[in-house]
Amino acid sequence: MDSANITIKKGKLGKLKVVRQHLLQHYEHQPLISCLAGLYSCRWRRYQRQKIEPGDWCCTKRECAFYPVLVATFCFSFVFVYLWGEAKNDYNNFDWFSYINLGIWFHWCIVLLVLAAVSFSYILLLLILAMCLVSEGQQLYLHWCHKMGTVFVLILSVSVLVTITLMWNVQWRTVILSMQFTAPFLHVVALVCMILVSWPVALYTFRLNKKGTVTPVMILVPYLALLIFLFFIPLGMYSPCVREEGTLGPKPALIGHRGAPMVAPENTHMAFVKTIEYGGDGLETDVRISYDGVPFLMHDKTLTRTTNLWEVQPEIADKTAEMFTWDMLKTLNSGKWFFESKPFYTMPAISYNDRKWAEEQSIYKLSDFLKLADQHNKLVLFDFNRPQEHHPYRDSWIRRVLEVILNESKIKPHLVLWLENIDRLFVQSVAPGFRQTFGRKAPLEELQRDKIVKLNLDYREMSSEDIRKYAEANITTNFYVISEPWLFSLAWCAGAHSVTTNAVHTLGSVTKPFFLITPRDYKIMWILTDIFSAILISLVFLLHWWREKGTSCDSGSTDTLTSGAYSMFGTKLNTMPTVA
């Protein structure tokens, strides 16, 4: 009798433990579901587990009609954030473009970057919440405020992309170029996403009624088509950084763009000294001629951005730089603006002594610049600006610059990369030692006829095939303006001989390309990634098939639906109306 009572008590205790375990599991799981659905639907109500018959869809037809908009918004916002993330190399150009049109120097590039990142993160969060709720068998009800937010992000992303296409369409070439560097990593990320998405796809593939409005085939076929496409997309990828070991050329030489404009005021003595200190191989600048015939360094057409002219003589601040005499120009300060405007948002910390030095800078003469380059045996590359009409040197500016180079500075001729195409034959006759440089791609016959030894090209025209073709004809290539390490790595792999950069202080410390792999190793990485993802996805589908088969083979009692597979995935909103 006692043993029987003990047995009964143990049985009751065992049942109580099972009930307690189920209650704890229900209690621990329920707040998570409530939180996810609350964030997604903006309705913080408790959920009640109810029976959901196999074949139920995750949302109503009206609700389902909005999801193509959500997916399209995700795609456009991803393109937006990717494009603007890869455009970091050209942020200064964008801010400069804004300055020309608005007259105010401001880092609008960062505003766009923040908008892109926040918009994409918001849409990504909605998709993650939706995927989690679908995986838990919840019906989806995206709240109207999220729908309005989604439409806003869609309009924002499309508007920015259209504007860039119309006003700055060359930036798309940067995106295409970036794929040579990021495509292998995007391939891995895409397959990781496909593994995560496989859970809800497999769940509804085995749950939906085969004769319903939405059939399993409508879900499974697009998913598998995209998966197969991702498996084989590496066959169409190309990157110069995927190359045989030992075939990488020397590191490209660094030419400081207006000196070192991230650590010193551009086109000043300090900027070029800093370039030399950071190991730059050459100096690039912009040359204008004063009204009395003194060549000086200045990029802008006016003096308002990079001098204190607005403070000393505001009534003539809009006057073009060439219309001032040198006596006036040399009195202006060219350093204080550097800390007030901060031309680059990524400017490194500057010491107190360097700050004082920078604040004392003035407009730099071409002759002094050339003497500095000659003293340190550095290449020089010029961008010339022809004076405006009614300027005394309007028609003799080339001869005046040559006079300064040959007679006043006496720089070694082989250090001069002569870029200007006007009067090139005359320049060759009086200065045969100059290294003739051309600013665009051209047939080899034309380049050899004009004795061109170097091409100075926009980095978006980078092509390893063209670089190799010109190199075989003893014509080297320089690409401008490359300041991001990933882009410099790509130029290095492509075989560029030199690059013009705003970031000599950064690229000078790069000792090897950021991404460099042999074709064999890349093929192994690609195949292993595909196999690993295929195995995981197959296991997910197999797990759901096993669980759904186990449920369907049950006797069909109500306990099965409340405690079996559907109790884990079969919950939905309690008394929540459908939201269109």
Side-chain angles (χ1 to χ4, degrees):
M1 186 69 178
D2 292 338
S3 60
N5 289 335
I6 292 173
T7 303
I8 293 172
K9 288 181 180 181
K10 286 183 177 180
K12 289 181 178 180
L13 287 174
K15 290 181 179 180
L16 287 174
K17 288 182 179 179
V18 172
V19 171
R20 180 175 178 273
Q21 183 178 3
H22 281 295
L23 288 174
L24 286 175
Q25 289 176 351
H26 180 78
Y27 176 79
E28 292 171 356
H29 196 60
Q30 199 71 14
L32 175 62
I33 303 298
S34 301
C35 180
L36 293 175
L39 291 171
Y40 190 78
S41 305
C42 296
R43 293 174 182 262
W44 300 86
R45 297 184 179 182
R46 291 184 59 82
Y47 283 74
Q48 179 180 354
R49 291 183 177 275
Q50 297 181 1
K51 295 182 295 182
I52 294 181
E53 296 298 330
D56 283 352
W57 181 233
C58 64
C59 52
T60 64
K61 292 181 180 179
R62 294 179 60 187
E63 187 72 15
C64 186
F66 185 78
Y67 282 90
V69 178
L70 184 62
V71 174
T73 303
F74 171 79
C75 295
F76 280 109
S77 62
F78 173 75
V79 174
F80 178 23
V81 73
Y82 181 83
L83 181 150
W84 205 244
E86 296 303 311
K88 184 181 176 184
N89 185 80
D90 303 313
Y91 282 176
N92 186 255
N93 292 343
F94 180 80
D95 291 336
W96 170 248
F97 175 81
S98 303
Y99 170 75
I100 293 176
N101 289 275
L102 302 177
I104 301 173
W105 184 266
F106 184 75
H107 293 304
W108 296 107
C109 58
I110 302 303
V111 175
L112 273 183
L113 182 63
V114 171
L115 281 175
V118 172
S119 300
F120 175 73
S121 300
Y122 171 64
I123 300 301
L124 179 62
L125 176 62
L126 290 182
L127 287 177
I128 292 175
L129 290 173
M131 188 176 69
C132 292
L133 290 171
V134 167
S135 298
E136 292 294 337
Q138 300 294 327
Q139 292 188 8
L140 299 180
Y141 297 93
L142 186 63
H143 195 263
W144 65 268
C145 66
H146 285 319
K147 290 180 180 177
M148 291 182 61
T150 300
V151 173
F152 171 77
V153 173
L154 178 61
I155 294 174
L156 173 66
S157 302
V158 172
S159 300
V160 171
L161 295 177
V162 169
T163 303
I164 290 176
T165 301
L166 295 177
M167 303 185 67
W168 202 21
N169 61 348
V170 294
Q171 202 57 41
W172 288 107
R173 292 162 63 185
T174 302
V175 173
I176 296 174
L177 197 64
S178 71
M179 296 300 293
Q180 297 181 11
F181 191 84
T182 61
F185 306 102
L186 291 177
H187 172 243
V188 175
V189 172
L191 286 178
V192 171
C193 293
M194 294 299 288
I195 293 172
L196 297 176
V197 173
S198 67
W199 187 273
V201 169
L203 172 65
Y204 277 93
T205 296
F206 294 112
R207 282 193 59 191
L208 287 176
N209 289 321
K210 296 182 179 180
K211 296 182 180 180
T213 305
V214 180
T215 63
V217 174
M218 296 174 63
I219 298 176
L220 190 59
V221 170
Y223 176 80
L224 292 180
L226 180 58
L227 184 63
I228 293 173
F229 172 75
L230 291 175
F231 280 164
F232 292 99
I233 196 174
L235 289 174
M237 292 181 182
Y238 164 77
S239 173
C241 292
V242 179
R243 58 191 306 133
E244 295 293 346
E245 188 174 354
T247 61
L248 181 67
K251 179 180 177 178
L254 300 177
I255 299 177
H257 183 234
R258 307 176 204 167
M262 289 188 180
V263 297
E266 66 183 52
N267 282 328
T268 62
H269 172 72
M270 178 183 178
F272 298 113
V273 171
K274 285 295 182 180
T275 304
I276 295 169
E277 289 180 359
Y278 284 113
D281 302 282
L283 310 172
E284 187 273 349
T285 188
D286 310 271
V287 179
R288 296 182 183 272
I289 299 181
S290 68
Y291 195 79
D292 53 348
V294 178
F296 64 98
L297 310 187
M298 179 63 59
H299 173 268
D300 298 10
K301 188 176 181 180
T302 65
L303 303 170
T304 54
R305 183 176 69 92
T306 58
T307 72
N308 64 335
L309 179 63
W310 185 263
E311 297 178 4
V312 297
Q313 287 189 319
E315 66 278 3
I316 58 173
D318 294 333
K319 193 176 179 181
T320 55
E322 295 99 333
M323 301 308 289
F324 290 90
T325 64
W326 176 246
D327 287 339
M328 174 59 186
L329 292 170
K330 68 182 181 180
T331 64
L332 298 177
N333 183 282
S334 294
K336 291 182 179 179
W337 71 273
F338 183 69
F339 301 100
E340 297 170 357
S341 300
K342 294 185 177 179
F344 297 88
Y345 81 98
T346 53
M347 289 169 54
I350 298 176
S351 67
Y352 175 79
N353 291 335
D354 280 349
R355 185 182 183 93
K356 297 295 292 184
W357 185 18
E359 291 177 346
E360 297 171 355
Q361 294 301 298
S362 58
I363 295 178
Y364 207 31
K365 285 176 66 175
L366 174 63
S367 57
D368 294 335
F369 165 77
L370 294 173
K371 290 175 183 177
L372 177 68
D374 184 61
Q375 179 183 354
H376 294 275
N377 203 40
K378 300 298 181 182
L379 297 172
V380 292
L381 178 65
F382 309 108
D383 270 333
F384 291 110
N385 295 273
R386 186 181 184 185
Q388 66 185 56
E389 293 185 4
H390 310 300
H391 190 284
Y393 291 87
R394 167 74 174 176
D395 298 320
S396 59
W397 57 294
I398 294 290
R399 294 175 183 268
R400 175 58 186 142
V401 170
L402 283 173
E403 182 181 339
V404 171
I405 296 175
L406 298 175
N407 299 330
E408 296 183 25
S409 69
K410 297 182 179 179
I411 187 174
K412 302 178 187 69
H414 72 275
L415 295 177
V416 178
L417 302 175
W418 186 266
L419 181 60
E420 182 58 53
N421 201 41
I422 298 177
D423 291 337
R424 189 181 290 275
L425 292 178
F426 171 74
V427 174
Q428 289 177 343
S429 65
V430 299
F434 287 0
R435 300 170 69 176
Q436 297 298 318
T437 306
F438 203 54
R440 61 178 176 83
K441 292 181 180 180
L444 286 175
E445 296 78 10
E446 178 182 344
L447 298 176
Q448 291 172 339
R449 182 195 63 207
D450 294 337
K451 301 178 181 179
I452 302 298
V453 298
K454 196 174 192 67
L455 293 178
N456 186 51
L457 305 174
D458 188 306
Y459 76 85
R460 299 176 186 89
E461 298 185 58
M462 189 187 309
S463 166
S464 56
E465 182 179 350
D466 287 341
I467 293 173
R468 182 171 57 254
K469 177 184 70 175
Y470 290 122
E472 290 173 353
N474 295 321
I475 299 174
T476 60
T477 48
N478 177 73
F479 292 98
Y480 65 89
V481 172
I482 293 178
S483 301
E484 286 297 300
W486 75 264
L487 192 54
F488 178 69
S489 298
L490 193 63
W492 190 346
C493 293
H497 300 87
S498 61
V499 301
T500 303
T501 179
N502 292 319
V504 175
H505 63 293
T506 299
L507 301 188
S509 61
V510 176
T511 57
K512 62 180 180 180
F514 280 16
F515 172 62
L516 184 63
I517 190 172
T518 65
R520 176 179 175 275
D521 291 341
Y522 176 65
K523 186 180 296 184
I524 293 174
M525 182 185 75
W526 160 40
I527 295 175
L528 288 180
T529 302
D530 285 357
I531 292 175
F532 182 72
S533 57
I535 291 174
L536 286 181
I537 292 172
S538 299
L539 290 175
V540 170
F541 273 82
L542 184 61
L543 172 64
H544 282 288
W545 172 82
W546 175 76
R547 301 185 80 163
E548 300 303 321
K549 181 181 180 182
T551 302
S552 63
C553 292
D554 200 277
S555 60
S557 64
T558 57
D559 292 338
T560 301
L561 292 174
T562 57
S563 62
Y566 290 112
S567 70
M568 180 170 292
F569 307 105
T571 59
K572 63 180 180 180
L573 296 173
N574 183 29
T575 67
M576 181 176 289
T578 301
V579 180

